[in-house]
Amino acid sequence: MASAAAAAAVTLGGKGAALSPAAVYALSLGLASPAIDASALKSLSTRAPSPQETPASLAAALAPAESRAAAAVLLNKLLLTASDSASALVTAATATRLAESLDVAAVLPLGSRDEAAVAAASAPVAVALAALIDCCAAPLARVADAVAALSCEAARGDAAAFDVPASGDGLSAKDEADVAADIKMLVFGSKLVGSAGGAPAPAAATFAKVSTVNGIFREAVRALHARVRIELNAPVKLGKRDAGETGAGKEEALVVLATQLARAVQALCKLSISRARLCAESIADADLREKLTNGVSIDDLKGMLDRVLIDSDAVSVLKGVYNHLLKFRDFLAWEAAVAMAVIEGDSSIEKPQAGVENEVGSSAEKPQAGGEKGKGDKKSKKKKTLGKGTSAVLMLLRDHVTNGNAIASVNSALVAEWGTSLSLLFDPKCSGLESLVEKVKEIVESNEVRRLPKIPKGTRDFGKEQMAIRERAFSIITGVFKMHGATALDTPVFELRETLMGKYGEDSKLIYDLADQGGELCSLRYDLTVPFARYVAMNNISALKRYQIAKVYRRDNPSKGRYREFYQCDFDIAGVYEPMEPDFEVIKVLTELLNQLDIGTYEIKLNHRKLLDGMLEICGVPPQKFRTVCSSIDKLDKQTFEQVKKELVDEKGISNETADEIGNLVKTRGPPLEVLLGLRKEGSKFMQNEGSVVALNELEILFKALEKANALDRIVFDLSLARGLDYYTGVIYEAVFKGATQVGSIAAGGRYDNLVGMFSGKQIPAVGVSLGIERVFAIMEQQEKERNEMIRATETEVLVSILGKDLTLAAELVSELWSAGIKAEFKLTTRVTNHIKYALQSGIPWMVLVGESEMQKGSVKLKDVKANREEEVARKDFVQELKKRLSKP
């Protein structure tokens, strides 16, 4: 955060410039003055003011600092709106008076209807108060962590309280994990925390709460800051607005965020008081201990939060939150002062000195000249050291409260002075606050504890063994696709947002939107099907059989087997063909893929979208609800019908009777030809539905073709299969693994005849399948573990082992192998056991061993690693001999 005190002038209304909460705070205290941007001045009107009725948003009673802040916000809003809209009438007289006085009352009444509309719609008083809260709260997020770390040192807490793991599966709170990691960084190197074999139970419980409470505070600060930034810098879109617009929605949003912050502050206050008391309890002087323990009281908090939340108007609530935050600042300062007093008064603790590195285990006594110990000092007693981070924080705080003077003794009056001084330090108008925050930030980002970097939630890395399995799987998949005449295609990893929206139904909320980087609104691709349809439409292609293997992205909740970034392997056929011709080939490709990947037992559930729509029509579902009901039915593989029925009735507005009828029909599943026969029997309601008849006729053609291709035994005709995506129009299918590894669906697809037409207006029918390769990998990896076989990460056939350090000899020998098309590595070390160990670990079948004796004789030793047999051959013949053993032509 930029220091409020550092700003001499704040330019308002400038293009590309942004008004920050720190600038509002500086303007409110008179630490900075406003300056209207020159380009903004040109957009103001010079016509005479026409007095307007004062908007209710400006009628609140304000203290001088609050009024200055509100005036700055209003002025900025007026300038931004005037620059944004040529028709907005903002007078130069109003803007000039606001800039000169920074007093809302001085410009009332406002000079035009548009000015009054901007004032009413922008809620400048509420926004100003929220900006003051934001400015004061943001640095306290760092300071609170630093003070908690200092208290942990003083109370000799246990660093294990901050063992909060961060995971990539969405099952850990990021801010909580970050706070824990930052505090561990601050106390790194300490001989005080956790030094007594674990802290007492009260201390352990108190410090265990720090990560959670401070993390919630961080989250609340960030949420408020994001909103305040928008409200400070977004122009008012006047349009049909008039002075009657109240901006109540903005006030309500700020109140919600501010009260969330207030609740976090309340928890912080309680925790700070508890930590201060824990620190004070370690003081030996009973009188000082009692005074410091009772220096602040939890009773000071009683009713404070209730008073904040009970106020009905937004301005009163925001003022209450601001005062609550100032109270927390005092509590935090008192805690820091008590922790300092404990450390300064403890002779067993090494006191950090400016310019002196805090050495672990340094001696309490400096050696005498000549290296001798002082008389009577039989054993130099080592003092306990603070962590490097907390040492730096302590020095900054101590220098601030003492002005660099030595501390003779600690008493309650001195600690009270320190508390007052530190409260002033924690105020944004103090330049020392920026130094403190920057120092804490520098410490936690130094990574001195070698804190491991993290990956985003829902993503993962793949090591060499996993990549070996993946490459083998990709090779099989690509081979099957090419065997069917498919050509490869690649598309951008992000698309225009308009390309993706409206194609995925309720799943559209899972699309990752990208920040605007130059006028185009873009999103990461959700799947490979919509980009394929866009490509076909954009290039006016009438027929194409293509495959694509690439990553897709979904803003889903990560869980086991469910990621936010994952590969899809797609095979699609676009164009006009005979009925079920491409559908048959796509399903046949799917069975070949799963058979050749050798993952075990699976089944392919199959249905038809027209049959599904016919079923819903038979049950009495209105056509406009077909898609939303399908999205509920699609959850039957994860939820019971009772759960799905509740969603259909309570959320989708379907009657109980209709839901029950749907439940009876979706239970229909079994061998394809048997189920088909049952659905077509005399008296079947499906035969009385036009769409269902078309679907059943198509399915008869498909099933007979699959039967002739020996692929029907893997198919299950299942009326509960719905596939929630909006673009499916015909046959739909989903492959499910039936083995022990629970991964759910492993492939899915269907016919989508209208998707291409959404882009070009020209209907190009298409059908495809997408293999969920991440889940297939999970099955393959589990199979490898169960076989207990070594997974070879490389394909190396020969290891050239030089028993020495002769790189030129290694280069000569290995280059001959490479030239002969033999996959080879080389290793230089004098110990033959290291060579053999590496070959065994890597699964390399052959070694070429060359030592002093072999070089003198002009020979090499060929070693069969698995059989543990060696054979000496002439140096000139070793390549040919290896080719024979490797059966290479």
Side-chain angles (χ1 to χ4, degrees), residues 162 164-166 172-182 211 451 454:
F162 308 110
V164 179
S172 66
K174 181 181 182 301
D175 290 298
E176 181 179 344
D178 287 346
V179 168
D182 288 352
S211 301
R451 181 169 51 183
K454 298 176 290 187

Side-chain angles (χ1 to χ4, degrees), residues 557-579:
N557 287 323
S559 59
K560 185 172 183 177
R562 186 181 293 272
Y563 299 94
R564 289 178 167 178
E565 176 195 60
F566 55 94
Y567 271 99
Q568 281 189 342
C569 304
D570 277 25
F571 177 90
D572 292 81
I573 302 174
V576 179
Y577 297 89
E578 292 299 316

